[in-house]
Amino acid sequence: MANKLHHMMISSTRSRSPILLFTLSLLAFSLLFFLFSLSSSQTHNPYPSPNFTLKPVTSFLASLELFLTKKSLSSSSSHRDDTVREVIEDDLHRLDEKMFAKESARLYSDPYYPLQFPIRVYVYEMPNKFTYDLLWLFRNTYRDTVNLTSNGSPVHRLIEQHSIDYWLWADLIAPETERLLKSVVRVYRQEEADLFYIPFFTTISFFLLEKQQCKALYREALKWVTDQPAWKRSGGRDHILPVHHPWSFKSVRRYVKNAIWLLPDMDSTGNWYKPGQVFLEKDLILPYVPNVDLCDAKCASENESKRTTLLFFRGRLKRNAGGKIRAKLVAELSGAEGVVVEEGTAGEGGKAAAQTGMRKSIFCLSPAGDTPSSARLFDAIVSGCIPVIVSDELELPFEGILDYRKIAVFVSSSDAIQPGWLIKFLKDVSPAQTREMQRNLVKYSRHFLYSSPAQPLGPEDLVWRMMAGKLVNIKLHTRRSQRVVKESRSVCTCDCKRANFTGPTFI
């Protein structure tokens, strides 16, 4: 009996062994598949979520408050920064040799070099008087509404509209665990950099400092930057300088014309930039910060039936320079059926009126201001109102990536002021075309919303995607300038380039 029981146990064990082995193998395979899937998703997702969950902050004031509070509470960065504060004779030579070694290593190891992501950016550690002190000055004086420009605009509102220098810098210096963008990475050694970022708040200093104090600070910043070995090595060609307001840094910017300027437009009229200072091959156009709230997909759907105004405009009706077209348009459009033209007013009341008007309109007029660009273009985009652009010399942000024909109507100045022409033109746009552009506006709005943390495909991200297209040309002109024998031939400065003009060409 005992032998029989022993035999049965052995048989049972043998019969279960293949099942047990199969079960264990299946579990092991499932575990490996799960780990592989997790690793694969992390590898192929270009924008992994950070280790925290935060709703993006799009208000400049709210973001700045958080930024400065965090700065006050945090200790100094643990990263080593090699910004040269006292230049010695051999700094330039040593940096040049280090950069040559790094670039050579990348050339022979990376089959796609120099076409690559992420872009490596070195952020200068400038003295606080050029950076944090100016942000605190803005924050502490924001409620001072008596501070106006000569034409009555609140300077703090202008600073908000041109605050691209804050949004880019805040993202670049944020801890990597709090960043979403993968198109750019901050490096802490100059020889590893593709580009150098100058975090000087040129617009805040222009508007909030006394004239002579501002000019003195500009001269100090100029000397500080141009004394850096990296600047001397390239002549500033690989340095990024935010000068988004056309008045900012004006007294000294002729000395930094080789740098990459971040601009609102090109303004080829010569009123704001001298010939040879700005051109598309070198510089980058960035959108104004919108002054109205985003009308998202839900808002757009709710407002679709409420858009009963054909054409809306609210703003200053008389402008200088290129903005003289406004007075002519006002005279032509006054009293036309379905058209609302209002003189703009400053303050929250004016913002609310502009936002309400745009959300009730199908088309929003966007004529040139003192410069070819205007903040209301971007207000219209985030409001879901189709921009009607009447600005013959306008250059648009990220146009190498975005097709503005899908969201806007372009009209020449000469056509727009013809009696009855513009209204007839807009009425002839089919309902199907209108609906398609409105749908595209909802999709495109994300490209014009600065935020903290900076979002994939937001304006901060598109800056670096556009910069990637400039890198090879930057290196070309940098190396050419280094080897051209003095006085043997002139180094190209592009002073002979014709003005940017998008109107008809006559031969």
Side-chain angles (χ1 to χ4, degrees):
M1 181 70 179
N3 289 337
K4 186 176 180 181
L5 180 62
H6 178 68
H7 179 73
M8 290 176 65
M9 290 176 64
I10 292 175
S11 299
S12 176
T13 301
R14 286 176 177 174
S15 65
R16 288 200 302 266
S17 295
I19 298 174
L20 181 63
L21 289 173
F22 176 79
T23 303
L24 291 173
S25 299
L26 184 62
L27 288 172
F29 178 80
S30 299
L31 179 62
L32 288 173
F33 181 80
F34 171 78
L35 293 174
F36 174 80
S37 300
L38 180 63
S39 173
S40 177
S41 64
Q42 291 176 341
T43 301
H44 290 94
N45 181 7
Y47 299 111
S49 298
N51 58 7
F52 68 101
T53 302
L54 280 179
K55 183 178 180 180
V57 178
T58 57
S59 163
F60 175 52
L61 292 178
S63 177
L64 180 61
E65 191 71 30
L66 292 171
F67 177 82
L68 292 176
T69 301
K70 188 175 180 181
K71 170 63 179 175
S72 300
L73 297 174
S74 66
S75 58
S76 59
S77 174
S78 60
H79 294 287
R80 188 180 77 82
D81 181 278
D82 64 351
T83 299
V84 177
R85 290 162 179 83
E86 293 184 8
V87 181
I88 59 178
E89 187 175 348
D90 292 334
D91 283 334
L92 177 58
H93 177 72
R94 285 202 297 267
L95 177 61
D96 194 54
E97 289 299 312
K98 288 180 180 179
M99 294 190 81
F100 171 75
K102 286 287 184 180
E103 289 175 349
S104 295
R106 289 161 66 183
L107 172 64
Y108 293 111
S109 63
D110 184 351
Y112 302 106
Y113 175 79
L115 304 176
Q116 62 179 359
F117 278 110
I119 292 178
R120 297 169 170 89
V121 176
Y122 180 89
V123 183
Y124 279 120
E125 291 279 354
M126 297 184 76
N128 283 352
K129 62 183 173 182
F130 301 120
T131 55
Y132 289 103
D133 290 354
L134 292 170
L135 290 178
W136 277 110
L137 176 64
F138 175 86
R139 184 259 187 195
N140 292 336
T141 62
Y142 181 78
R143 299 301 177 188
D144 183 10
T145 56
V146 298
N147 197 353
L148 305 175
T149 64
S150 58
N151 62 17
S153 300
V155 298
H156 290 79
R157 181 64 55 79
L158 284 175
I159 290 171
E160 286 184 74
Q161 289 179 352
H162 296 280
S163 61
I164 59 97
D165 42 14
Y166 163 77
W167 295 105
L168 287 173
W169 186 55
D171 176 65
L172 284 172
I173 67 174
E176 282 302 313
T177 55
E178 299 178 9
R179 297 185 66 250
L180 289 167
L181 302 192
K182 300 304 175 185
S183 54
V184 62
V185 64
R186 181 185 182 185
V187 296
Y188 295 87
R189 301 179 67 87
Q190 294 189 8
E191 63 267 22
E192 297 175 352
D194 297 312
L195 297 168
F196 295 79
Y197 186 83
I198 304 169
F200 177 38
F201 291 94
T202 58
T203 301
I204 292 179
S205 52
F206 177 83
F207 280 113
L208 298 187
L209 298 180
E210 295 295 331
K211 185 175 181 180
Q212 294 308 316
Q213 185 184 9
C214 176
K215 287 187 174 182
L217 192 66
Y218 280 177
R219 289 192 295 269
E220 287 186 63
L222 175 69
K223 185 178 188 310
W224 194 95
V225 171
T226 56
D227 274 349
Q228 302 303 315
W231 178 280
K232 293 179 180 294
R233 177 182 178 273
S234 68
R237 291 174 176 83
D238 51 6
H239 283 56
I240 300 170
L241 179 65
V243 283
H244 199 258
H245 193 280
W247 295 342
S248 60
F249 220 50
K250 192 172 183 179
S251 60
V252 297
R253 63 190 180 201
R254 63 184 179 277
Y255 301 110
V256 293
K257 67 178 184 178
N258 287 335
I260 305 161
W261 291 6
L262 304 182
L263 303 163
D265 55 52
M266 290 288 155
D267 179 40
S268 60
T269 64
N271 292 295
W272 309 107
Y273 309 110
K274 300 299 180 184
Q277 286 185 345
V278 297
F279 44 92
L280 287 175
E281 291 80 0
K282 174 178 76 74
D283 304 311
L284 197 62
I285 309 298
L286 269 67
Y288 291 69
V289 177
N291 187 43
V292 297
D293 299 329
L294 170 68
C295 185
D296 58 14
K298 181 174 182 289
C299 165
S301 177
E302 292 173 349
N303 281 276
E304 185 174 359
S305 60
K306 301 176 184 177
R307 295 187 183 274
T308 55
T309 300
L310 176 67
L311 180 64
F312 176 80
F313 175 81
R314 181 181 176 85
R316 301 232 172 242
L317 302 182
K318 295 182 179 180
R319 302 298 279 182
N320 300 317
K324 292 178 180 178
I325 183 68
R326 288 193 187 182
K328 297 179 181 179
L329 285 170
V330 169
E332 164 57 25
L333 295 172
S334 293
E337 183 182 358
V339 176
V340 175
V341 177
E342 301 174 345
E343 178 72 35
T345 55
E348 290 302 313
K351 171 183 175 179
Q355 178 167 297
T356 300
M358 287 183 171
R359 292 188 180 187
K360 289 183 177 179
S361 304
I362 300 171
F363 296 99
C364 284
L365 187 64
S366 181
D370 289 344
T371 62
S373 66
S374 170
R376 67 187 35 79
L377 166 61
F378 308 103
D379 290 347
I381 290 174
V382 301
S383 297
C385 186
I386 301 168
V388 179
I389 299 176
V390 186
S391 182
D392 298 333
E393 299 180 4
L394 177 65
E395 301 293 352
L396 292 163
F398 318 133
E399 202 166 6
I401 299 173
L402 307 178
D403 187 349
Y404 284 83
R405 297 173 301 171
K406 304 300 182 183
I407 61 169
V409 174
F410 293 86
V411 178
S412 71
S413 298
S414 58
D415 285 338
I417 60 176
Q418 296 300 316
W421 188 94
L422 183 58
I423 301 302
K424 181 180 184 304
F425 175 80
L426 295 178
K427 287 182 176 179
D428 285 343
V429 178
S430 70
Q433 289 176 297
T434 299
R435 286 192 297 271
E436 182 181 1
M437 284 193 282
Q438 289 172 337
R439 287 193 296 268
N440 290 334
L441 282 169
V442 173
K443 297 177 184 178
Y444 269 49
S445 290
R446 66 186 298 186
H447 306 312
F448 304 98
L449 287 177
Y450 296 89
S451 63
S452 178
Q455 299 294 298
L457 296 181
E460 301 93 334
D461 190 19
L462 296 192
V463 164
W464 304 112
R465 295 178 185 233
M466 290 290 292
M467 284 290 184
K470 297 179 181 288
L471 278 181
V472 176
N473 212 38
I474 290 168
K475 292 180 184 295
L476 183 155
H477 285 288
T478 296
R479 289 170 180 162
R480 186 176 183 276
S481 69
Q482 292 170 330
R483 58 91 178 164
V484 169
V485 179
K486 188 176 181 180
E487 297 179 358
S488 64
R489 58 181 175 179
S490 62
V491 177
C492 177
T493 61
C494 298
D495 285 351
C496 56
K497 282 184 174 289
R498 70 184 295 273
N500 296 301
F501 184 71
T502 57
T505 302
F506 301 98
I507 301 178

